Amino acid sequence: MPIQHLKLYHYPASRSARTKWMLHEVVGDGFDVEKVDLYGAVQYGPEFLLVNPNHSVPVLEITWDNGTVQHMLESAAMVAFLADAFPEAELAPSPDASPERADYLQMLHFGSTWMDMVLWQIRAHEHVLPESERDPRTVVRYRKKFHEEIEPQLAARLEHTPYVCGQTFTAADCIVGQSVLWARGYGLCRDEVFKRYMSLISQRPAFGAAFADLREFVLDATGQPLSARFTG
């Protein structure tokens, strides 16, 4: 069923930037964006909870040609869906079973689950939870885990190929690239191999469009309504 319209619920430099990047890759500027004031905790309000009961961004709103409106809530699912929905962009191996497809899916989900989980623990306990609820031991544990377990796996790939799945940019780079950018903001992924990777992917026009609002991001949520409402 053809897609009639796409709309992204977004907050700068959050996980929704992955989806925004991917949208720019496949449809240029042909989608709408609604900024959600996460720090104002509007995502916990009844209106937004009707869109996403998980009180988070991104949300990708798809209007199909028959008028049906569908909401996708998981960023990795959105990225994978868009890659397959717009095959002319050539951002994913064919859905047919192949070693390339298996590796692509592996890295797409590695970035959105394993990398994300570790980075989120660091962020939550450094800049989101109320100070009385932060645990420095959690920060130390997950910083160590990221540096000693995740970085070597990525570096081993990027030392031999320019992109995470080989010689060609794929949708997996939208996920992993955003996670590497996030990690670098927390003092991780500082080796030269990651610097080269970021230099390469940041040259893409869609990257520039996705992160054009980066300066609007506020690192520390302490004292914001979000911190008081945050449930994880």
Side-chain angles (χ1 to χ4, degrees):
M1 187 184 302
I3 296 170
Q4 182 185 109
H5 185 257
L6 293 164
K7 175 181 175 179
L8 178 67
Y9 292 83
H10 168 67
Y11 184 80
S14 69
R15 294 179 182 93
S16 61
R18 305 167 176 168
T19 306
K20 193 170 188 290
W21 182 2
M22 189 64 188
L23 283 163
H24 284 298
E25 292 281 358
V26 298
V27 296
D29 296 328
F31 62 98
D32 289 337
V33 178
E34 180 173 327
K35 183 179 176 182
V36 180
D37 182 10
L38 295 185
Y39 280 29
V42 300
Q43 69 272 29
Y44 292 98
E47 185 176 342
F48 188 80
L49 289 173
L50 290 175
V51 177
N52 184 359
N54 299 328
H55 48 76
S56 62
V57 295
V59 176
L60 180 62
E61 182 177 280
I62 307 166
T63 303
W64 299 97
D65 264 1
N66 66 357
T68 301
V69 176
Q70 181 176 2
H71 291 115
M72 296 186 72
L73 309 182
E74 296 295 331
S75 63
M78 297 172 203
V79 170
F81 165 76
L82 290 167
D84 290 343
F86 297 91
E88 64 276 11
E90 298 183 338
L91 295 178
S94 167
D96 298 336
S98 68
E100 293 76 18
R101 180 72 178 186
D103 187 59
Y104 156 77
L105 291 173
Q106 165 70 16
M107 293 311 299
L108 189 150
H109 290 286
F110 179 81
S112 67
T113 57
W114 197 232
M115 291 181 72
D116 188 291
M117 180 276 293
V118 175
L119 289 168
W120 183 241
Q121 290 297 321
I122 296 168
R123 172 151 176 73
H125 285 274
E126 288 192 358
H127 291 121
V128 180
L129 286 166
E131 291 189 21
S132 61
E133 297 181 23
R134 297 178 187 179
D135 182 7
R137 297 170 300 177
T138 296
V139 174
V140 171
R141 178 181 303 115
Y142 283 106
R143 280 185 170 276
K144 184 175 187 291
K145 190 174 188 66
F146 194 97
H147 180 63
E148 295 183 357
E149 298 180 23
I150 292 175
E151 287 187 22
Q153 293 183 61
L154 289 177
R157 286 174 171 263
L158 296 173
E159 285 168 356
H160 298 288
T161 61
Y163 302 105
V164 294
C165 290
Q167 298 298 323
T168 303
F169 179 90
T170 68
D173 290 291
C174 290
I175 298 286
V176 173
Q178 187 267 339
S179 294
V180 171
L181 180 64
W182 181 0
R184 286 175 63 82
Y186 276 85
L188 299 160
C189 287
R190 287 292 174 175
D191 291 347
E192 184 64 26
V193 67
F194 298 112
K195 182 179 179 181
R196 290 199 306 269
Y197 177 61
M198 291 307 303
S199 177
L200 178 62
I201 62 175
S202 64
Q203 294 175 34
R204 299 183 70 83
F207 178 98
F211 293 97
D213 56 5
L214 182 61
R215 293 189 179 185
E216 298 179 35
F217 175 72
V218 178
L219 184 65
D220 198 336
T222 304
Q224 302 288 335
L226 170 63
S227 188
R229 296 290 302 273
F230 182 68
T231 58

